[in-house]
Amino acid sequence: MFAALARVVVGHPWRVVGVWIVAALAIILFSPNLSDHTTGNQQDFLPSSFESVTAQNIGDSEFPATAGATGTLVVSRRDGGALTPTDQQTALGLATTLQNDNIAGVGAVSAGPQSVSPDDKVVAIQVAFTGQPGEPQVNDAVPAVREAASSALQNTDLTSGLTGNAAILVDSNTAYDDAERIISIATVIVILATLGILFRSPLIAVLPVFVIGVVFLAVRGATAWATQIFDFEVSTTLDAILVVVLFGVGTDYTVFLLFRYREQVRDGADRLDGLVAATGAVGRVIASSALTVIGAFAALFFARLGSLNSLAPGLIIAVAIMLITTLTLIPAVISILSKVMFWPVGPGHEPQRSAFAALGRRVAYRPVITAAAIGVTLIVLAVFSSGYKATYDTLGEMPSDTPSQQAFDTLAASMPPGDLSPTQVYVKANGPIPQNELAALTTNLEGVAGVAAVTPPRVSQDGTAAVVNVVLDTSPFSTQALDTIDDSLRPVAHSSVPGAVVAVGGQTATLADVRSQLHSDTRHVFPVAVVIVWIILGALLLAVLAPVNLIVSVFVTFAATLGTLVIVFQYLLDYVGIDFSTPIVLYLFVVAIGTDYNILMAERVREAFVGGETPRDAAQLAITKNGQTAAAAGVILALTFASLTLTGLKNLAELGAGVAIGVVLASCVMAPMLVPALSVIERSAFWWPTRQSATGTEAGRRFDDAHPSR
């Protein structure tokens, strides 16, 4: 099938390119803007049945003026000293000034004596926005409030900073936009440099960057159409992940094809016939690899947490379009440019001695030692994964110079950090709520460990609803705060007003619900991804035991990768924890993309084995021929993901480092060493029920001729 497709593409390259240009331009020009369907508000990703969503709905219905996005304008002296009485008066008067400015998107600005910190260093002015975090009018109001406050304090010794959920989300969006630019530039540099070194051809270095750049724009457009048609929003992390996935996977598949094409040309094949043969041979591997990645990402649909399952469509669309690109557009362009593709030095000759030929001999003749050494090393690293600690501090993961982070640090130094985002306890009854029950609720909440302050209840006009604000004594993003919500505050609140609906909401409650749902999603996504990948591998390799070997090796690689992250970020860099979404996303990337290299190697081993080579010789041939391909492609992909560490965002740095480590292990250790070693140890059982033919393949005979002394 792939050979037939290759003949059509190579026979009509200009038509293929023309169809691609028309299709890409149509998508890019007429699709909606993906940014209009992107949000960083975690509550948008929770199922409607969760308590924090119920609380938000009660607030929107009964207390619309204060149930929207919130902010805290933190006013302090520029020298960091205590506020004088004049300073305090100026700071408190700022609330009136901002209120009178009638800033679009701002509902109310308030301050009073309670806004002054106990150490007289800070005045915390409360800002209520007319909408939820992430909504356009709120996003526009955040910089307007900052500018108005700065202007009002221009000729004083005071400075101000806005924090809170509205400001944090705006700063987060800005940080991710900056991150995407950094990643794009770093990725292009990595691809240009590595491909230039590998093939010594400027044309080959530029080709993937140009083609994948156009595909990226088309993928964004197609994903935006999907969000519009199926009415969902995607996480702010998607764009950054799409860049590295598309450029990484796309370059991988292109490298797979180019290495096989160069092998054909070096063996004397006609340039076009060689391209057809290479595409036909590698097409099966690329298609299987892409389907494996798509299948693993499809497991995200089984997650109820929107920030996870909303990643699936974009990633699946990206890999699917990249698969079609690699099997059609890339061969068409190579066909058109085939005469100058390897300019200026040509395809070169296969070296008489190569590191991978030597590696092939060592692995083939010492498979048990190889497998044992790798297994022990990975298991030792995997043990450290048990020390993983999750963090939900989305604010703390942003760069330290982020305005909302700096304002929060100033606030937390003088007031309870929970003042940044108080927790709301909503009560809704069929009739008027008795005052004694509200008094009991307030008293009970004050007695909860971890609560710093409780405000008096506010009652709706008809008396059937009430809200109590609770300030925790720790950061609203901390694990301790989430534990307080789940273990203490919610049980106490639920039991304090019998006969009424009591719902605990706010930023901390939302994160507590996210944590709960994440645990459930992990239990579903992990096994589903394994089953999907195993089925695809079984269909490709036509074997039972081989896919099991690959799955187990990849799972151990994931555990070792997570253990390495724990060592680096928690023990060496002393992070409080690793972002809560990292393990599940890392798992999918390592299982999906890491399997690509195993497929590349296993398929070459299988090709030689079925063609008549002994298990030992089949492993040696595969490592000699495909070891460099797997390692080179893996290093390119690892460096691409490593660019995430340059963004200044801790969650992206953790994910980038993790995928880079996992990919290096998969491409430089698992694929060229462990998988061939296992195939030698298990011999024909590795490929059962596939049988070996009686005679060697052409590839095997060429290998015999090239290595007479083996």
Side-chain angles (χ1 to χ4, degrees):
M1 179 180 74
F2 295 105
L5 175 63
R7 282 192 292 271
V8 172
V9 170
V10 174
H12 307 279
W14 286 108
R15 293 181 183 179
V16 173
V17 172
V19 170
W20 264 101
I21 291 174
V22 172
L25 285 176
I27 295 174
I28 294 169
L29 294 177
F30 298 108
S31 62
N33 190 342
L34 183 59
S35 300
D36 295 336
H37 301 273
T38 300
T39 180
N41 188 356
Q42 288 294 334
Q43 194 169 69
D44 292 341
F45 295 125
L46 281 172
S48 59
S49 59
F50 272 76
E51 184 174 342
S52 59
V53 179
T54 301
Q56 185 63 56
N57 292 337
I58 295 174
D60 291 341
S61 173
E62 304 295 336
F63 305 95
T66 57
T70 59
T72 301
L73 190 64
V74 183
V75 182
S76 60
R77 285 186 60 86
R78 299 180 191 276
D79 59 11
L83 298 169
T84 66
T86 301
D87 291 336
Q88 293 182 24
Q89 184 178 2
T90 302
L92 293 172
L94 181 60
T96 303
T97 300
L98 295 176
Q99 185 69 62
N100 292 337
D101 284 344
N102 294 319
I103 299 172
V106 175
V109 184
S110 59
Q114 74 282 357
S115 303
V116 182
S117 65
D119 61 3
D120 292 330
K121 288 188 175 183
V122 161
V123 170
I125 300 172
Q126 300 306 310
V127 182
F129 296 92
T130 57
Q132 295 302 318
E135 293 182 357
Q137 70 272 21
V138 176
N139 287 346
D140 292 340
V142 166
V145 169
R146 284 173 168 163
E147 184 177 350
S150 178
S151 177
L153 300 176
Q154 189 170 10
N155 296 320
T156 70
D157 294 327
L158 305 179
T159 185
S160 64
L162 182 65
T163 187
N165 55 15
I168 291 170
L169 194 52
V170 168
D171 291 343
S172 176
N173 291 338
T174 300
Y176 279 106
D177 288 342
D178 293 341
E180 185 184 344
R181 285 191 289 272
I182 293 171
I183 293 166
S184 299
I185 294 171
T187 298
V188 168
I189 292 173
V190 165
I191 293 174
L192 289 174
T194 52
L195 289 183
I197 293 171
L198 280 173
F199 293 95
R200 294 170 296 173
S201 165
L203 189 58
I204 289 178
V206 172
L207 175 63
V209 172
F210 178 76
V211 172
I212 299 171
V214 175
V215 171
F216 170 70
L217 296 177
V219 166
R220 288 188 90 254
T223 304
W225 259 328
T227 63
Q228 191 175 68
I229 294 170
F230 297 102
D231 191 26
F232 67 93
E233 290 186 307
V234 298
S235 170
T236 49
T237 61
L238 178 63
D239 254 347
I241 293 176
L242 277 181
V243 171
V244 292
V245 166
L246 268 175
F247 278 93
V249 171
T251 305
D252 262 11
Y253 296 164
T254 303
V255 167
F256 289 178
L257 176 59
L258 285 170
F259 265 104
R260 194 66 178 252
Y261 176 48
R262 188 173 68 176
E263 181 183 326
Q264 290 285 332
V265 175
R266 282 177 171 178
D267 288 342
D270 175 79
R271 56 187 176 81
L272 296 183
D273 291 341
L275 180 58
V276 170
T279 305
V282 178
R284 175 184 169 92
V285 173
I286 293 173
S288 301
S289 298
L291 289 175
T292 301
V293 176
I294 290 171
F297 289 155
L300 285 172
F301 283 124
F302 290 86
R304 293 185 67 205
L305 196 60
S307 57
L308 292 178
N309 64 40
S310 68
L311 290 175
L315 294 174
I316 290 173
I317 289 171
V319 177
I321 292 179
M322 200 63 245
L323 167 62
I324 299 171
T325 302
T326 310
L327 296 180
T328 57
L329 181 58
I330 296 293
V333 174
I334 293 176
S335 175
I336 294 170
L337 302 173
S338 59
K339 291 182 179 180
V340 294
M341 181 57 60
F342 295 105
W343 180 87
V345 297
H349 301 282
E350 187 170 351
Q352 294 296 318
R353 295 181 180 180
S354 75
F356 287 95
L359 178 64
R361 287 191 295 273
R362 284 196 295 271
V363 171
Y365 287 90
R366 295 179 177 81
V368 175
I369 295 175
T370 300
I374 294 172
V376 169
T377 302
L378 293 179
I379 290 173
V380 170
L381 291 174
V383 169
F384 285 93
S385 65
S386 61
Y388 164 74
K389 295 179 181 178
T391 178
Y392 295 79
D393 188 357
T394 53
L395 176 60
E397 289 179 334
M398 287 194 288
S400 58
D401 60 351
T402 301
S404 51
Q405 174 70 65
Q406 292 178 327
F408 171 69
D409 291 341
T410 302
L411 176 71
S414 298
M415 301 180 77
D419 273 334
L420 169 66
S421 184
T423 295
Q424 292 84 40
V425 179
Y426 289 99
V427 181
K428 177 62 178 174
N430 294 325
I433 305 171
Q435 290 298 316
N436 64 319
E437 292 185 356
L438 291 179
L441 172 64
T442 303
T443 301
N444 292 342
L445 291 175
E446 289 174 339
V448 172
V451 170
V454 179
T455 63
R458 285 190 295 116
V459 182
S460 62
Q461 289 184 348
D462 62 4
T464 63
V467 59
V468 177
N469 285 333
V470 179
V471 176
L472 304 180
D473 61 8
T474 57
S475 167
F477 304 103
S478 67
T479 301
Q480 297 94 316
L482 272 60
D483 291 341
T484 297
I485 294 291
D486 280 338
D487 300 340
S488 306
L489 198 148
R490 274 179 168 161
V492 168
H494 294 162
S495 62
S496 295
V497 188
V501 174
V502 179
V504 178
Q507 183 71 51
T508 308
T510 297
L511 291 176
D513 288 342
V514 167
R515 179 174 66 174
S516 174
Q517 186 58 53
L518 181 66
H519 291 163
S520 174
D521 287 346
T522 300
R523 291 193 296 269
H524 289 89
V525 171
F526 273 44
V528 168
V530 167
V531 171
I532 291 174
V533 172
W534 182 81
I535 291 173
I536 295 173
L537 288 176
L540 167 69
L541 300 176
L542 301 176
V544 175
L545 191 56
V548 173
N549 278 275
L550 300 190
I551 288 291
V552 171
S553 65
V554 169
F555 185 81
V556 174
T557 301
F558 160 71
T561 300
L562 184 57
T564 305
L565 282 186
V566 170
I567 294 172
V568 173
F569 288 99
Q570 291 183 198
Y571 297 158
L572 297 181
L573 298 180
D574 200 28
Y575 281 22
V576 174
I578 295 172
D579 185 79
F580 65 94
S581 65
T582 297
I584 190 169
V585 178
L586 177 64
Y587 172 77
L588 293 174
F589 275 110
V590 172
V591 167
I593 299 176
T595 303
D596 285 359
Y597 311 104
N598 288 342
I599 289 175
L600 178 72
M601 189 61 64
E603 174 63 10
R604 195 67 184 256
V605 175
R606 176 188 169 286
E607 179 184 322
F609 174 77
V610 171
E613 296 286 349
T614 65
R616 190 188 305 277
D617 292 343
Q620 186 177 350
L621 183 151
I623 296 171
T624 301
K625 294 291 187 180
N626 275 20
Q628 183 184 11
T629 306
V635 168
I636 292 173
L637 184 61
L639 290 174
T640 300
F641 270 95
S643 66
L644 292 173
T645 63
L646 305 176
T647 62
L649 292 161
K650 291 182 179 179
N651 61 328
L652 290 184
E654 292 157 1
L655 178 62
V659 176
I661 293 167
V663 165
V664 168
L665 288 175
S667 63
C668 298
V669 179
M670 309 300 289
M673 289 189 278
L674 183 59
V675 171
L678 292 175
S679 73
V680 176
I681 294 171
E682 298 169 12
R683 303 187 66 78
S684 58
F686 189 84
W687 300 110
W688 183 88
T690 298
R691 294 181 178 274
Q692 190 176 39
S693 68
T695 59
T697 62
E698 183 181 352
R701 288 194 298 272
R702 287 201 307 268
F703 184 71
D704 289 335
D705 295 339
H707 302 80
S709 62
R710 62 190 171 106

